[in-house]
Amino acid sequence: SDLCRVRVALRIRPKNTDELAQGADFDTCVELQPECKKLKLKKNNWASESYQFDEIFGENSSQKRIYEVVAKPVVESVLEGYNGTVMAYGQTGTGKTYTVGQLGKEDPSERGIMVRALEHILSSMSLETDSVAVSYLQLYLESVQDLLAPEKTNIPIVEDPKTGEVSLPGAAIVEIKDLEHVCQLLQIGETNRHAANTKMNTESSRSHAILIIHLQRSLKIKEETTVSIPSDTEHTLPGDLPLVLKSKLLIVDLAGSERIDKSGSEGHMIEEAKFINLSLSSLGKCINALAENSSHIPTRDSKLTRMLRDSFGGNC
Ligand SMILES: Nc1ncnc2c1ncn2[C@@H]1O[C@H](COP(=O)(O)OP(=O)(O)OP(=O)(O)O)[C@@H](O)[C@H]1O
């Protein structure tokens, strides 16, 4: 179905103060055609290239609208027991962290996809029978670090050979009670991401941040009702035992996609560039394979794609 495929939305952020001061004019290089969901990249007066998207959002699009169009359908399918992923991709400074990670402490209308998804999930389930827990990780130089327990580094990525389920033994999984708790945890993650990056003398944009939301829901099944459930979802039957649906949602703030000029970089910058290029190019290969409905998704090449393996919507 439409939900199972890869969907790509484009968002243009408003001009920042520097761009306004310089009188920058985005219109000379990009033209949005929202009616046909196309973006025209102008190379010069004669040549341009057009790209087709599933959705196009201009500078004035609200965080609420982005959530509703882009993330809400994924969250709804995760609530039904499927795994799903939402990712932000773009160069440094294009608004990835604003779009997915903004906490909106002063102004709730600025909340990004992470907070809104958890708010939606909390309001859609009953905490008496269901549970929601989160892990928050950072992937830097092919090493997984725990943003909720920063002493944990080099966390392994393990795949269950039978179910294909991906897990990260040792990473903190914190059960969520309410939205305030969510914001506290995301704030801790943000602070640790910043601290870890300062220590490593790098920028936040050189690492991937990955929020994993684990959902477990108990469905009471009456005999006469037929419920359609994802075929390979873990469940407990039969008798009067409730059916337990397990699913997860990954929300990923990817490292900046800009190409780093290796000749101009030195030492750890070259290492960074190498690993970011590795993970983003292997992500690209997986997304192409998914888009082409290929039976083989090449997830082995990088830790990023190994972490995402069971959440590319793969259990649909
Ligand atoms: N839609 C928007 N509306 C208002 N401000 C925005 C919007 N998008 C981004 N910004 C602002 O632009 C700046 C850069 O955005 P942001 O930090 O999210 O970029 P980024 O792509 O995550 O960069 P990095 O890769 O360095 O983390 C921030 O100050 C952010 O608040």
Side-chain angles (χ1 to χ4, degrees), residues 4-280:
C4 290
R5 73 179 182 87
V6 181
R7 291 167 64 238
V8 185
L10 172 87
R11 181 185 205 182
I12 304 252
R13 66 153 168 72
K15 292 188 191 79
N16 62 31
T17 32
D18 283 351
E19 287 156 350
L20 285 171
Q22 290 160 9
D25 184 7
F26 290 177
D27 299 345
T28 55
C29 48
V30 291
E31 183 188 318
L32 295 188
Q33 301 169 324
E35 332 69 53
C36 49
K37 297 178 177 171
K38 277 188 178 159
L39 167 93
K40 208 157 130 189
L41 265 190
K42 299 181 198 165
K43 291 175 152 178
N44 52 42
N45 281 340
W46 309 277
S48 65
E49 267 168 23
S50 271
Y51 296 90
Q52 179 77 50
F53 290 86
D54 292 296
E55 301 294 338
I56 294 238
F57 299 98
E59 298 175 30
N60 299 321
S61 309
S62 66
Q63 294 281 73
K64 180 167 186 272
R65 177 151 167 76
I66 302 280
Y67 178 74
E68 282 176 356
V69 178
V70 174
K72 196 176 168 191
V74 182
V75 174
E76 277 166 351
S77 72
V78 170
L79 283 164
E80 285 167 18
Y82 297 95
N83 291 352
T85 303
V86 178
M87 289 183 273
Y89 173 86
Q91 293 192 358
T92 294
T94 48
K96 299 181 295 296
T97 305
Y98 180 86
T99 301
V100 298
Q102 190 78 0
L103 295 180
K105 276 175 287 191
E106 275 101 56
D107 179 1
S109 74
E110 285 211 288
R111 284 175 173 166
I113 290 176
M114 289 177 176
V115 182
R116 285 175 198 267
L118 280 156
E119 182 179 26
H120 180 174
I121 288 169
L122 283 167
S123 69
S124 308
M125 42 188 257
S126 130
L127 285 178
E128 283 156 31
T129 51
D130 308 333
S131 73
V132 52
V134 300
S135 300
Y136 200 8
L137 306 144
Q138 163 168 277
L139 185 57
Y140 177 69
L141 298 183
E142 290 298 273
S143 164
V144 182
Q145 302 157 357
D146 195 331
L147 288 178
L148 299 178
E151 66 283 1
K152 295 180 184 161
T153 54
N154 263 317
I155 296 168
I157 304 170
V158 176
E159 193 186 321
D160 186 311
K162 285 204 196 92
T163 61
E165 194 180 332
V166 177
S167 61
L168 296 132
I173 303 180
V174 183
E175 196 159 323
I176 297 291
K177 297 176 224 94
D178 51 34
L179 198 63
E180 199 183 325
H181 189 200
V182 166
C183 292
Q184 278 168 9
L185 287 172
L186 292 176
Q187 180 63 66
I188 291 172
E190 195 182 296
T191 308
N192 285 333
R193 191 178 185 202
H194 187 74
N197 291 320
T198 309
K199 205 168 129 197
M200 293 179 297
N201 195 19
T202 190
E203 308 243 344
S204 68
S205 56
R206 311 319 300 152
S207 71
H208 309 289
I210 301 148
L211 180 72
I212 307 179
I213 306 174
H214 303 269
L215 242 72
Q216 192 160 324
R217 313 190 71 192
S218 306
L219 302 183
K220 290 200 191 70
I221 301 187
K222 294 191 198 101
E223 265 177 52
E224 63 275 25
T225 27
T226 43
V227 211
S228 87
I229 50 162
S231 56
D232 55 355
T233 310
E234 227 172 279
H235 56 266
T236 329
L237 273 177
D240 14 323
L241 284 172
L243 176 83
V244 177
L245 279 186
K246 269 188 173 184
S247 58
K248 59 183 179 179
L249 170 65
L250 268 63
I251 305 179
V252 187
D253 186 359
L254 290 168
S257 62
E258 57 275 10
R259 257 165 240 230
I260 298 172
D261 176 11
K262 284 192 188 149
S263 60
S265 313
E266 42 184 284
H268 80 280
M269 300 255 309
I270 294 183
E271 284 298 284
E272 276 182 356
K274 215 167 69 189
F275 285 123
I276 294 169
N277 292 346
L278 169 74
S279 53
L280 292 181

Side-chain angles (χ1 to χ4, degrees), residues 4-6 284-298:
C4 290
R5 73 179 182 87
V6 181
K285 285 181 199 157
C286 291
I287 290 178
N288 281 338
L290 284 165
E292 286 163 6
N293 263 327
S294 160
S295 57
H296 175 68
I297 314 296

